[in-house]
Structure formats: structure tokens, C-alpha cells
Amino acid sequence: MARKKKTDMLQGMLDLLILRSLRGGPLNGWDIMQRIQVVSGDVFRVIPGSLYPALHRLEAGGLVRAEWGASDNNRRAKFYKMTAAGKKQLDAEWETWKRFSGAVELILRDA
Amino acid sequence: MLSRLKTALRALLRRTQVERELDEELRYHIERQTEQNFRLGMSPEEARDAASKVFGGVEQAKERSRDARGVRWVEELWQDLRYGLRMLLRYRGFTAVAMLTLALGIGANTAIFSVVNSVLLRSLPYQDPERIVRVRNANGGLTTQVPISEPEFNEYRNQSQSFDQVAAYVVFPNNLTGINEPERVLTAATSSGFFPALGVRMELGRPYSSEEDQRGRNGVVVLSHRLWQRHFSADPNLIGKAITLNGRSRTVIGITPPGFGFPSDKVDAWTPAAINPASTNTGAHYLDVIARLRPGRDLDQAKAELKVAVDRIKQRFPEYYKGAEGFTARVVPLREEIIGDIRPALLVLFGSVGFILLIACANVANLLLARATVRQKEVAVRTALGASRGRILRQLLTESLLLSVLGGAFGLLLAYWGVRFLVAERPPALPRIDEINIDGWALGFTMLVSLLTGMIFGLAPALYASKPDLNGSLKEGGRGGAESVGRNRARGLLVVSQVTLSVVLLVGAGLMIKSFWRLMRVNPGYNPENVLTLRLSLPGGTPYQQAIAFYQQLTQRAAALPGAQAAAIVSQLPLDAPRANVSFEVEGQPSEFNNDDDPVADFNTISSDYFLTMGIPLLHGRSFTDRDNAQSPTVAIVSQSLARRIWPGEDPIGKRIRLTEGTPWMSIVGVAPDLKNQALNAVARQEIYVPYVQANFGQNQNFTPYTIGLVARAALDPASLSGAIRGEVRALDKSLPVYDIKPMERIVADSVSQPHFTTLLLAGFAGIALILVTVGVYGVISYSVAQRTREIGIRKALGAQTRDVMTLFVGQGLALALIGVAIGSVVAFALTRVMTRLLYEVSATDAATFIAVPLLITTVSLMACYVPVRRAVKIDPMIALRHE
């Protein structure tokens, strides 16, 4: 990412979730949405209206690469795959998130 | 990041495909969601509905996706441009008028700016040009600028403290023969310091050295780049070859860089003048002198030094300089000399085109203001669709910028043609003509002016237009009611300022026209009609007898030609060159020799038929005849003002004058009228005429001319004589070049070429301004009347007479015009004083012009108001009432 705005926190979290779900291989938008919902135990439900802009942003930034292919029911769909840069970003974000949540936990526990 | 670039490019270049993919991608998602909903138990329609609702508005989602791609602004700009272009094409009339107006304004500006830049601003194409000066002689009482003699030049050159180089030159034509066809080549004979003084490096070869600048060793020549290319086909081996100039073989040793042309761009060859450093020829003044100031020295120091040189020379030749106590040397920066004359004119022209541009901008601003109202509906719709004010503003601004860039491009084309035309005409008034072109600066200037006009006149209308009254505009008939007072005021202000500017411009033009008119009606004292002139020079060193014989035969044969009524020769053609100037003694009036009041006069040697040929009626006495020859008593003819000044109230016939002690006394035999010999707009000078056959007063006082002008009066067209006269010259001497063959009328026209040039251009600009203002007033009034058509209908339906309605509307327009005229007259009154130098016998506050111009503009505005109002008033009130 070129610039990180302060309001990007939530956006960053979504990007993180997306990248994470792509770790297993290329997925299309619908699949990503399902996977996040399922894996998070239905805690996170991504609104499609936010998902696709995020995907396109990641694509423009070179963190994912898109390809058109056939879905499981043989319809045309756009599949996204994580790139090497994406993987690097994922690891970095994960670190940041771990540090962040660790700090919050510390503060909350301390209180 | 490469991928970012790739995405951006793809987004721009394959927009439809990208859009389609986005569509497909979202559609796939909606389908899957629909299936899931269906499986969960909804009906097919509910399933689909719920699916798309989840998206939260598909269009908005698409927008956000598009935004996410990050190239939004470029896409929007492209959109704006295409939309703007479509709009411009749709309102074709408006676009045409606006573009033409802008093109005229910008084109005129760019053309004049190119000229001003090339002539005034750009430094001369020599090294350190500010250090190059011209040295001139001057004679105290009368501000004459006499050429310099050899002893004077040598003295100046020896005085080398302030100067690095002092160089002299004289220009005359030569015959180039030997290789290819013979050609006449203007040659400058210069001293060796010439090229170093200018700081010019040869393109090929080298300049001549001081060794080569001596008698017997100066058989070398430097050629111009142009001649090298044209005559010698840019032969790279030309250096070292020999060419023949005026029958004399010279070795080519150098080629000048392209574009170099000093002292004039017509000079094609330079040879060493081999001036004798010990010359005592004090009488022949024919040299021009330039010098390069030494670093660290300034003009004042140079002037002081030259004064020392002048004193020394006066001591060396006391008899010659007796009575010439007013004789001094002057130092003028070369640049001043070349451009000083034309600068005020060019600046006035530059100011004028600025006015035109402002008027043009006002016109277009008004046009855009009017159109902004028309497009209010469209703006309201777009706002309702969700466009932000900034976006709309941006689009409107882009449209005006597009208009002004297109107008600017068109204007650049006009400017290019205009400058090409100007350079082709080669008005003698304009110096440095070969250096004029549309250069990078002019291009940058045009672009700047285009963009500024786009922003300035695009901004206000755009601001107005993007502030829509949504409700009002979208309603039926929304157009008519929303005319804000502010907008009307703005339009009125624009019209007033247009009228003001054009008044100033027209007054200036009017003054120039009147001045030029006066100038053309000046009676020069001679009759230039049907007179052919030409010049020729005898080679230096021609023995006196041979020269005399040649002149006698020439004039006889020329006069005897069929079609010729008379022919004569004269040392200096009128209006064509600086005059030779002498001081003289009057018998019986002892002169105080250290006084600036010593009589001086212009000195002319002529043949006996000169006054006859030129149509000059003598006032007293007689002209010279063949009986005035070398053996008969020496005689002279003086001009009337000289006679009046020297012998007031007496008859000058029989009185005697002489040039200096030692020269014979000359008896006055005739009085000639005052002639305009130097310039039409200068006071007639005091003249002495002497028969050329008697002009040899001895070794140091030989005034026999070696360069003469031949004048011949033809019965009809003077050009018909040129071939015949050239034939006669050739018959007498085959190798003698004859040059500058032109009718006398042409010389007269050339002498006023500067005011002619300025007046022509200024009048043209004034014409353009008048057209623009008329169009502007007409447009505004038409528009305003169209807006108020309903009101007119109402008035008429209520019983108002046509005449009353017309008076009302025309009166409103006229009021604006009158305000503009009033302000304009005041401003013109204040500004025209800068033109005083350009005017001949016309005051800068000339009453007639200041009355005529406002009257003209008021009348024109009145007509421009009348036509649209009359048309509108004729509409049937029933139709008018229904008009929206």
C-alpha cells in the first residue's frame, strides 16, 4: 500500500481477512465472503458493497492478482490469488495486529 | 508499482471491457446470493430482491469499485473533455463566435509579442552586445551625425584606453564574377578590428588580421553564410579559393555564421579596408565606426576619452577644423541605435493588442454568462443525479479551458501567418527583420494567455451556473425567472469595459491616422513623381578628370534617352542618406571661430540640370549651366532659409561664401526653395549647392563625389527608363555596378515607412476592436431582449406603443454605451500622451479625434442596440406572452 490513512484501520482489517482467506488458494468474491463468514464462526459478515471495492483496491495495489475462470458450477467468475507481495503484506499486517491486540489486552487486563 | 500502472492503463484504455467485467463479477455474486436465498426458502423474486439489496445499491457499489481503482480523476477529466467537446459542437454558433474572438485576440497578441521579443527584448546576436557602441561625429549647433573621416578614425583608434577594439567600415556594392553567374554583392570594407569588436566567430576559416589590413596585402575576403550557401552551394573547400570582386581577385579566408549580417543583413562580403594609418584626407567623411568597450569601462569614460582624441585631431589639422568648434564625438550603445527608433511604436502596438485581448475576453465572458443561464436546467439535473458542486464546476471550467485552448491554437496559426506575412513584406521600418520568428517564448506566452483567459472568463460563469436553484430550474418555465440581478450587472459591467477599451484604442488609431495623413501631405519642395533614381560609385582612386568626364557623358546620354525629359546627378539623393555637413565663412561677416553659432549647412554637389529634373523652381537668380566649369568663376546656390539667416532683408545674389580658409570664394548665383532633404517630418535644412565640376578645392578639400545618385525624369513611368540607363552606364564602363534603382516616390514612401507601418497596424487593430465591440453590444442586447420577451409582450398587451418599448430598451443599452464612452474618453485623454513622439503635427489631445471617436462608437452601439430590439418588438404580443 502506498499510503496508510488513519481511517484505514477498519479497511486494513478487511484486507487482512481477505488475504488470509486467500492463503489456501485462489477464490472468487462470493467464496471469499462465505469463507470469512464460516471461519469466523459467523461473527464477521462482509457486506458485498465493501468487499468488492476492497478486492479491486488490493488488485490495483498488486497484492492480489485476478483471473477469470470457471466456478464450480461452470459459470464464469473472477478469481483472486495472493501474490508474493500480498503474502509479505499479510505477514506484516498480522504482526501489527498481534501487537495491537496484545497491547489492548494488556491495558484491559491491567485496569 | 508496476501493477498499479498496469491497472491504471487498463482502466483508461479498455474502459468498456473493464466495466463489463465489473458488471459480470457483481452479477455472478448476486446470482449466487439469489440461489442461496432461494434455497433458504424465499420465492425467486424475493430472492433476487434481497440479493441486490445486500449490495446496498449496485450503482453505488460500482462507483466505489471504480474509485478504488485510483485513476478516477483521469477518467473524469477524459469524460469532461468529451462532454465539453460535445457541448461545443452542439452550440455551434456560440462556439464559432467565441473561438474566432479569442483567436483574433490571442493571435494578434502573439504576433506582436513575437515581434517585440525578437526586436526589442532579445539581445543582439553578438558576444556581450551591451559593450558594443557606435562612435559618431556630431556637430554642436545642428544635431547632425556626420560620417567619420580617415584621420578621425585613426585618432579614435589610437585612443585605446576605453576600447578593446575600434573598427571602421563602409558599405558599397561590388560585382562578383568568376564562379557561376555574375552577381551584385553588397560588400563592407572594414578595418581589422571589425569582427573582434562584434565578437563574431567564423563558421569556417578566420577573419582577416591586421597585417592583411594594409594596402597591397588586403586581397582577402570573408563571405556571408547566405552567399556561401546560395552562390557557392556551401562548398566546404571554398576557403583558400579565389573569387573576383569588382575585377579584383581575392582569396576567401572565412565564412560568417548563419544569420550574421552587420551592418545590414544585406551585406554578403567583408574585405579589409586598408585605411592608411597616416591618412590626412580630412575632407572625405564616409566611415562608420563601432567599438567594443573594455570591461570595467563605461560610456562616460569613453566619451571623455574621445573628447581628448577630438581635441588632438583639431590640433593636427587646424585649417580644416577651423570654425568647427562644435565638432564632437558621440558614443551610443549599438542596440540603442538599431532599435531606439522603433521602440515607442512597438510599445504602443503592444499595448493596443493587449486592449484587443481584453475586449475579446469580455466578449467571450458575456457569451459564456448568457449560455450559463441556458444550461441551468442541465446543471440542476446533474446535481439531482448526485454530482457534487465541485464536479460540475470542474466540468464547466474544463469546457471553457477547452474553448480557450482551441482558440489559442487557432490564434497561434493566425499569428504564424501574420508574422510570415510581415517578414515577407520587409517593412524598412522594422530592424532585425531576419531575427523575427514565432519562438518558444511566444508559444509559452500564447499558452499562458489562453489558459488565463480560460480561467478568468470561465470562472465567473461557472460559479453562477453551478449554483442552481434546483426547484426553480426543474419547474416548467424555470428559465425565464431566474435572472439574478448580479448576472445582469456583470454583463453590463463587461459591456461598459469593452466600450471603454475600444474608445481608447480608436482614439489612438485616430491620432496616428491623422498624423500620417498630415505627413503624407507635406510638400517636400521637389516633385518626386515620374523620377527614377539610382546610385553608382566610381572606384576609389579614379582620377578627377576621368570622373568629371564620366559624369558629363552619363548625364548627357541619360537625358537624351527617348522617354527621358531630363537627367542630373547629385551627391546625396534626398531622404535617402545622412547629409554631408560643412561649416562655412561668409564674406564680409567675420566669424568668431570659437562660437557654436558659426554657420553650418548641408553640402550638395550637383549637375546643372538637377533643379530642373527634380521639378524645383528656383526662387531667385539662375541654376548652374554648362558654362560653370572648372575654369569659370566658382559659384554656389543656397537655400532660402540660409539666405534669410545670413543676409536678412538683402539680396543674396552676388554675395560670396567659402568653405574654409584657402578655398576659393563662391558667388551666390541663385536661391533655391527649402527642401525636405533629410526627412519629411524634419525642419528643412540649410543647403549649399555647388556644381560638381567645381567641387575640387584642392588636396584636402576635394568634394568631388565618387558615389553619386542619378536622377532622371521620365515622361511617363520611371521604371521604363531603368533598363536604358543601365545600358548607358554599361556602355561607358562595363564593370561599374549600378544599384538601388528605384523611383523617387518609393524613396519618399520608404522614408515614412515607420509611421506607415505603425499606422497601418494600429488602424487594423482599431478595426478589429470596433467589430468586437459591436458584436459584444449586439450580443448582450439581443440576449437581454430575448430574456425579456415576455415582458415586452405584457407591455404591448397593456397598450404600450412600439416606440415607447423601443425607447426603453434601446435606451438601456445606449446608457451602458455612453458610460463606456465617457470613461473611455477620460482614460484616452490620460494615456495618449505616451504617443506624442509618434505624432506629426497632431496634438495628443487633438479635439477633432476626441469628438469623432466617441461619436462613432456611440452611433455604432446605437445601431447594435436598435436591430435586436426592433426585431423583438415586432413579435406578436400573444406569441411573446407564451415565450419562456
Side-chain angles (χ1 to χ4, degrees):
Chain A
M1 306 276 180
R3 269 172 301 178
K4 246 219 177 249
K5 292 187 278 192
K6 291 197 183 78
T7 59
D8 263 349
M9 266 278 295
L10 220 54
Q11 231 177 33
M13 217 173 76
L14 180 56
D15 293 344
L16 191 57
L17 296 178
I18 293 176
L19 287 171
R20 179 70 179 80
S21 42
L22 288 179
R23 238 180 46 166
L27 292 173
N28 64 46
W30 169 260
D31 294 335
I32 294 175
M33 191 180 87
Q34 296 295 86
R35 161 115 15 135
I36 293 177
Q37 199 175 325
V38 162
V39 167
S40 70
D42 224 10
V43 174
F44 286 135
R45 285 200 190 181
V46 187
I47 308 172
S50 319
L51 173 67
Y52 284 96
L55 280 171
H56 294 143
R57 197 182 43 241
L58 288 171
E59 184 185 354
L63 298 172
V64 303
R65 192 169 30 235
E67 247 174 25
W68 283 89
S71 70
D72 38 346
N73 43 11
N74 247 334
R75 266 173 298 184
R76 234 166 82 90
K78 199 172 180 187
F79 285 84
Y80 291 88
K81 179 166 131 153
M82 190 161 59
T83 63
K87 173 117 192 357
K88 246 201 304 225
Q89 183 72 16
L90 173 61
D91 294 333
E93 291 283 328
W94 202 339
E95 282 307 305
T96 314
W97 172 251
K98 277 198 283 197
R99 228 177 311 136
F100 173 72
S101 59
V104 170
E105 199 180 323
L106 271 174
I107 293 172
L108 287 178
R109 225 192 298 148
D110 206 23
Chain B
M1 295 239 274
L2 194 62
S3 57
R4 211 178 257 290
L5 196 62
K6 267 205 298 208
T7 327
L9 277 176
R10 191 151 183 274
L12 285 175
L13 300 176
R14 308 228 156 200
R15 194 164 321 110
T16 15
Q17 190 175 6
V18 171
E19 282 293 312
R20 226 180 321 130
E21 287 185 359
L22 178 62
D23 211 37
E24 201 168 344
E25 187 176 11
L26 297 189
R27 214 173 334 125
Y28 173 80
H29 187 110
I30 295 183
E31 272 180 15
R32 295 293 298 264
Q33 182 75 56
T34 311
E35 284 168 9
Q36 190 181 65
N37 289 349
F38 186 64
R39 259 179 301 186
L40 287 176
M42 301 191 206
S43 73
E45 302 81 36
E46 283 178 331
R48 186 157 279 274
D49 243 353
S52 17
K53 243 185 245 148
V54 162
F55 254 92
V58 175
E59 269 315 312
Q60 263 92 325
K62 279 196 188 167
E63 275 291 306
R64 259 178 275 137
S65 267
R66 290 192 200 111
D67 263 330
R69 275 193 231 122
V71 288
R72 209 40 214 257
W73 65 274
V74 179
E75 287 180 354
E76 287 182 352
L77 185 64
W78 184 239
Q79 253 180 354
D80 286 346
L81 283 175
R82 279 177 49 193
Y83 187 73
L85 200 61
R86 217 170 36 232
M87 281 292 116
L88 288 182
L89 283 175
R90 177 151 160 228
Y91 295 100
R92 248 184 292 245
F94 157 83
T95 308
V97 171
M99 256 186 61
L100 190 63
T101 310
L102 273 178
L104 278 176
I106 293 179
N109 261 287
T110 308
I112 296 298
F113 182 79
S114 298
V115 172
V116 167
N117 190 25
S118 309
V119 174
L120 291 187
L121 298 177
R122 240 193 259 153
S123 42
L124 297 176
Y126 314 121
Q127 193 186 27
D128 280 339
E130 326 78 47
R131 304 215 70 84
I132 308 181
V133 298
R134 160 92 92 220
V135 179
R136 282 194 176 279
N137 283 350
N139 216 320
L142 291 172
T143 328
T144 49
Q145 311 225 301
V146 185
I148 296 183
S149 68
E150 291 171 359
E152 287 162 1
F153 165 63
N154 288 323
E155 201 61 58
Y156 297 156
R157 184 164 54 172
N158 292 340
Q159 192 70 36
S160 54
Q161 295 292 71
S162 291
F163 298 120
D164 261 344
Q165 297 286 348
V166 180
Y169 59 91
V170 59
V171 176
F172 57 93
N174 264 327
N175 259 358
L176 172 63
T177 51
I179 306 183
N180 305 336
E181 290 179 8
E183 195 179 317
R184 188 167 75 71
V185 164
L186 204 61
T187 310
T190 81
S191 65
S192 57
F194 181 75
F195 290 111
L198 290 172
V200 176
R201 314 197 55 178
M202 294 293 132
E203 177 94 343
L204 283 184
R206 59 172 182 84
Y208 28 87
S209 60
S210 38
E211 286 78 43
E212 285 160 330
D213 190 19
Q214 294 173 39
R215 259 234 140 98
R217 308 227 201 116
N218 59 342
V220 296
V221 64
V222 169
L223 297 178
S224 77
H225 196 263
R226 189 179 49 205
L227 186 70
W228 178 56
Q229 284 189 324
R230 192 182 65 224
H231 194 96
F232 298 99
S233 315
D235 175 11
N237 298 319
L238 192 60
I239 308 288
K241 291 220 183 92
I243 63 170
T244 314
L245 277 180
N246 258 13
R248 183 168 164 197
S249 171
R250 290 183 183 270
T251 316
V252 178
I253 60 165
I255 309 288
T256 64
F260 173 76
F262 192 86
S264 106
D265 45 24
K266 299 196 191 70
V267 173
D268 279 320
W270 293 262
T271 59
I275 297 171
N276 180 4
S279 162
T280 54
N281 190 353
T282 51
H285 292 259
Y286 67 98
L287 293 170
D288 281 317
V289 173
I290 55 170
R292 176 175 283 275
L293 280 177
R294 198 158 272 180
R297 295 289 186 149
D298 63 14
L299 276 181
D300 292 322
Q301 287 169 317
K303 261 188 263 206
E305 276 210 349
L306 281 180
K307 183 159 187 324
V308 173
V310 164
D311 289 336
R312 242 212 316 273
I313 231 205
K314 284 183 185 168
Q315 282 172 356
R316 277 178 64 200
F317 303 99
E319 329 77 41
Y320 180 74
Y321 290 99
K322 205 188 296 190
E325 297 308 307
F327 164 58
T328 55
R330 224 174 251 154
V331 182
V332 178
L334 189 63
R335 189 149 181 258
E336 253 332 286
E337 255 224 359
I338 294 184
I339 68 177
D341 243 359
I342 194 80
R343 189 188 281 130
L346 275 184
L347 291 178
V348 167
L349 288 175
F350 195 49
S352 322
V353 290
F355 278 18
I356 289 193
L357 186 64
L358 288 176
I359 298 178
C361 288
N363 252 4
V364 184
N366 256 336
L367 281 171
L368 276 172
L369 263 183
R371 203 189 51 159
T373 322
V374 167
R375 295 180 62 177
Q376 248 183 317
K377 224 178 210 168
E378 166 205 336
V379 167
V381 170
R382 291 176 69 187
T383 314
L385 274 182
S388 67
R389 181 163 178 234
R391 181 87 175 78
I392 295 183
L393 207 65
R394 220 176 341 143
Q395 193 272 318
L396 289 173
L397 211 55
T398 309
E399 205 173 312
S400 343
L401 279 175
L402 185 64
L403 184 63
S404 55
V405 166
L406 285 177
F410 191 22
L412 189 63
L413 196 64
L414 284 182
Y416 175 70
W417 284 336
V419 170
R420 261 241 307 236
F421 172 74
L422 193 69
V423 171
E425 285 292 300
R426 298 195 82 97
L430 214 51
R432 301 174 75 178
I433 261 237
D434 280 341
E435 299 178 45
I436 298 180
N437 55 11
I438 307 255
D439 59 1
W441 280 99
L443 193 60
F445 181 67
T446 318
M447 289 283 94
L448 185 67
V449 169
S450 306
L451 291 176
L452 272 180
T453 35
M455 292 211 312
I456 294 175
F457 71 70
L459 202 60
L463 281 173
Y464 277 133
S466 64
K467 244 198 315 225
D469 169 20
L470 260 182
N471 235 356
S473 318
L474 289 176
K475 276 206 291 236
E476 279 285 313
R479 186 152 54 113
E483 280 294 294
S484 62
V485 174
R487 217 170 296 193
N488 267 331
R489 198 175 296 152
R491 261 202 295 276
L493 197 66
L494 284 172
V495 168
V496 167
S497 47
Q498 273 185 308
V499 173
T500 307
L501 290 172
S502 52
V503 164
V504 178
L505 195 49
L506 278 157
V507 164
L511 288 176
M512 274 306 291
I513 293 177
K514 189 166 181 186
S515 153
F516 188 66
W517 176 252
R518 287 256 169 94
L519 193 57
M520 287 314 289
R521 308 190 84 59
V522 166
N523 178 12
Y526 42 83
N527 180 9
E529 276 177 53
N530 291 336
V531 172
L532 182 71
T533 70
L534 54 85
R535 296 219 283 222
L536 49 86
S537 347
L538 299 180
T542 306
Y544 168 75
Q545 289 297 351
Q546 198 178 340
I548 300 297
F550 174 76
Y551 292 147
Q552 278 174 337
Q553 289 181 326
L554 182 60
T555 38
Q556 273 171 1
R557 292 168 83 134
L561 286 173
Q565 292 179 335
I569 62 173
V570 62
S571 49
Q572 291 282 36
L573 292 169
L575 297 182
D576 209 21
R579 321 299 296 172
N581 191 259
V582 294
S583 58
F584 60 96
E585 271 183 55
V586 180
E587 191 182 44
Q589 290 185 19
S591 47
E592 298 101 61
F593 284 131
N594 37 13
N595 214 337
D596 274 343
D597 278 337
D598 267 359
V600 288
D602 286 348
F603 189 72
N604 306 277
T605 54
I606 60 174
S607 68
S608 41
D609 278 346
Y610 178 68
F611 294 111
L612 175 70
T613 313
M614 294 296 284
I616 304 171
L618 283 181
L619 298 173
H620 285 329
R622 64 170 183 85
S623 175
F624 304 135
T625 65
D626 292 331
R627 273 173 296 152
D628 300 305
N629 52 33
Q631 287 79 36
S632 63
T634 44
V635 291
I637 295 178
V638 295
S639 66
Q640 186 177 53
S641 52
L642 190 154
R644 284 213 185 113
R645 180 163 169 245
I646 305 292
W647 304 282
E650 302 171 44
D651 182 9
I653 309 286
K655 303 265 197 277
R656 305 210 296 175
I657 60 173
R658 70 174 175 187
L659 289 185
T660 58
E661 216 170 287
T663 58
W665 288 102
M666 304 181 278
S667 305
I668 312 287
V669 297
V671 176
D674 287 336
L675 305 175
K676 301 280 187 191
N677 270 335
Q678 193 192 36
L680 282 182
N681 59 350
V683 170
R685 299 155 65 82
Q686 309 192 344
E687 313 261 2
I688 298 176
Y689 303 89
V690 161
Y692 68 82
V693 73
Q694 292 184 347
N696 188 351
F697 299 129
Q699 200 195 27
N700 280 343
Q701 311 294 348
N702 186 356
F703 286 93
T704 312
Y706 284 87
T707 306
I708 57 143
L710 178 79
V711 292
R713 178 169 289 279
L716 296 167
D717 177 24
S720 61
L721 287 181
S722 70
I725 293 188
R726 256 195 298 192
E728 293 300 333
V729 174
R730 237 199 322 264
L732 286 176
D733 184 343
K734 251 191 317 215
S735 65
L736 207 56
V738 158
Y739 53 102
D740 282 346
I741 304 182
K742 34 185 161 172
M744 186 66 209
E745 284 173 309
R746 170 84 189 278
I747 296 184
V748 174
D750 283 351
S751 78
V752 295
S753 69
Q754 202 233 75
H756 186 216
F757 170 73
T758 313
T759 307
L760 211 60
L761 281 186
L762 208 50
F765 294 154
I768 294 179
L770 196 59
I771 294 177
L772 288 178
V773 156
T774 314
V775 168
V777 171
Y778 177 84
V780 164
I781 298 292
S782 309
Y783 178 73
S784 146
V785 155
Q787 289 300 93
R788 296 162 72 180
T789 308
R790 228 194 214 159
E791 177 189 337
I792 296 179
I794 293 176
R795 284 178 187 267
K796 287 188 74 177
L798 286 179
Q801 294 283 38
T802 308
R803 201 198 345 232
D804 298 328
V805 178
M806 279 195 58
T807 316
L808 176 66
F809 279 85
V810 171
Q812 285 175 347
L814 197 59
L816 285 178
L818 283 176
I819 297 177
V821 163
I823 303 180
S825 304
V826 171
V827 173
F829 196 82
L831 282 187
T832 48
R833 68 192 63 232
V834 312
M835 283 181 61
T836 322
R837 248 210 287 181
L838 300 175
L839 299 174
Y840 173 71
E841 286 196 7
V842 170
S843 141
T845 54
D846 178 58
T849 315
F850 270 85
I851 294 178
V853 166
L855 213 58
L856 173 68
I857 294 195
T858 311
T859 314
V860 163
S861 307
L862 189 62
M863 291 199 302
C865 291
Y866 182 79
V867 172
V869 173
R870 177 140 189 85
R871 212 179 27 208
V873 152
K874 283 225 168 115
I875 299 180
D876 181 357
M878 289 315 294
I879 301 178
L881 279 171
R882 267 185 258 128
H883 189 269
E884 288 192 17

